[in-house]
Amino acid sequence: MQGGSTQVRFQPRTGQLLVVASGSVVSLFDVETDRKMHTLQMCGHSVEVHCVCWDTNGEYLASVSQESVKVWSLTSRDCIHELNSSGNMFHSCVFHPSYSTLSVIGGYWVCLYI
């Protein structure tokens, strides 16, 4: 990996995958083979990604920019859910440890639950 990154997170449980956010691009790396597996750009972010987080099972990944939160399926590598901030300026996200379909999004004005 070259260049700077704003967020790096290992996949829970196995640690085989590493997600890296750099600018508006989110990439997946296989740490065992030391190669980039995929760049999540389909319906990607248009501004800098501030936060990335995995669900507890390592099946879903959320990426957060001030404008939106995108939830990605590791299986399909597709964006399966998107929430626009509507001016709220998102900055963080975390999945619930027991309910992977529930996440909390931190914004400058309010917390949202999806």
Side-chain angles (χ1 to χ4, degrees):
M1 293 179 274
Q2 290 183 324
S5 59
T6 54
Q7 289 283 304
V8 290
R9 297 284 184 270
F10 280 104
Q11 181 184 27
R13 299 186 189 250
T14 66
Q16 181 181 355
L17 299 179
L18 180 70
V19 64
V20 176
S22 180
S24 62
V25 177
V26 177
S27 301
L28 287 171
F29 290 86
D30 185 320
V31 295
E32 292 180 6
T33 63
D34 194 29
R35 69 178 181 89
K36 185 189 290 187
M37 291 182 51
H38 196 73
T39 300
L40 303 173
Q41 291 180 326
M42 193 79 148
C43 84
H45 294 276
S46 58
V47 296
E48 183 177 359
V49 174
H50 291 284
C51 179
V52 289
C53 66
W54 293 92
D55 78 312
T56 7
N57 296 319
E59 296 172 8
Y60 299 101
L61 173 69
S63 56
V64 181
S65 71
Q66 285 188 350
E67 296 177 348
S68 64
V69 174
K70 297 175 187 290
V71 179
W72 307 85
S73 164
L74 187 60
T75 306
S76 69
R77 307 287 201 268
D78 290 328
C79 178
I80 58 169
H81 188 74
E82 180 176 359
L83 180 65
N84 292 316
S85 70
S86 302
N88 186 35
M89 297 192 314
F90 296 148
H91 62 84
S92 61
C93 181
V94 64
F95 281 94
H96 189 281
S98 299
Y99 304 100
S100 63
T101 57
L102 175 65
S103 60
V104 178
I105 303 163
Y108 290 102
W109 304 106
V110 70
C111 281
L112 301 172
Y113 305 92
I114 62 169

